[in-house]
Amino acid sequence: GEKAPSLQKFAGTHLEADEYHKAMTDKDTVIIDVRNAYESSIGSFKPPEGGAELIDPKMRNSIEFPKWLNDPQTQEKLNGKKVLMYCTGGIRCERATALLNQMSTVNPDLKPKGVYHM
């Protein structure tokens, strides 16, 4: 299989809950729910009106995330935006932020303004 990106080299920036909630008010921010589809169907963060856009990749499992990130429509939504991610367990978010950061170093069509997780 694919080798996971280096957390030490590519991990996103951790935000405390109050910082994360403040970031949700920024209209130049997208929030990605990196939980699986079952977990996402139970409930999700609701950004304030005029704030961040919530994106649900509707993944059954995390191995679908790289394919979703490579989709040109996804890249268009992430370019120039601050990207917040959340999940039920910390490692999934850390791996997802690391993957996005790693991909953005080699893909000129994928340039987020910063990658963060809670």
Side-chain angles (χ1 to χ4, degrees):
E2 295 283 319
K3 185 176 179 188
S6 167
L7 294 180
Q8 186 174 4
K9 186 173 180 182
F10 294 109
T13 303
H14 174 81
L15 298 178
E16 295 299 328
D18 60 331
E19 297 170 307
Y20 195 94
H21 283 275
K22 184 178 179 188
M24 288 173 52
T25 65
D26 183 354
K27 66 177 178 53
D28 290 323
T29 298
V30 295
I31 302 169
I32 302 174
D33 183 346
V34 294
R35 300 174 301 162
N36 64 43
Y38 171 75
E39 293 166 331
S40 297
S41 71
I42 293 171
S44 60
F45 282 121
K46 301 289 186 239
E49 192 154 332
E53 175 189 1
L54 177 65
I55 302 174
D56 180 0
K58 298 182 181 2
M59 296 181 292
R60 290 185 56 101
N61 57 53
S62 59
I63 63 170
E64 296 171 1
F65 193 58
K67 181 179 177 186
W68 183 79
L69 284 175
N70 276 313
D71 184 302
Q73 289 179 321
T74 299
Q75 293 176 6
E76 189 175 317
K77 287 182 177 187
L78 303 183
N79 280 335
K81 303 282 184 167
K82 182 185 294 183
V83 178
L84 304 177
M85 295 189 194
Y86 73 93
C87 57
T88 52
I91 192 65
R92 193 181 306 169
C93 281
E94 289 185 30
R95 290 187 67 190
T97 61
L99 178 63
L100 176 54
N101 280 329
Q102 181 184 44
M103 288 175 68
S104 68
T105 65
V106 296
N107 183 341
D109 296 324
L110 185 59
K111 295 296 176 208
K113 203 191 259 182
V115 182
Y116 307 86
H117 64 89
M118 184 166 55

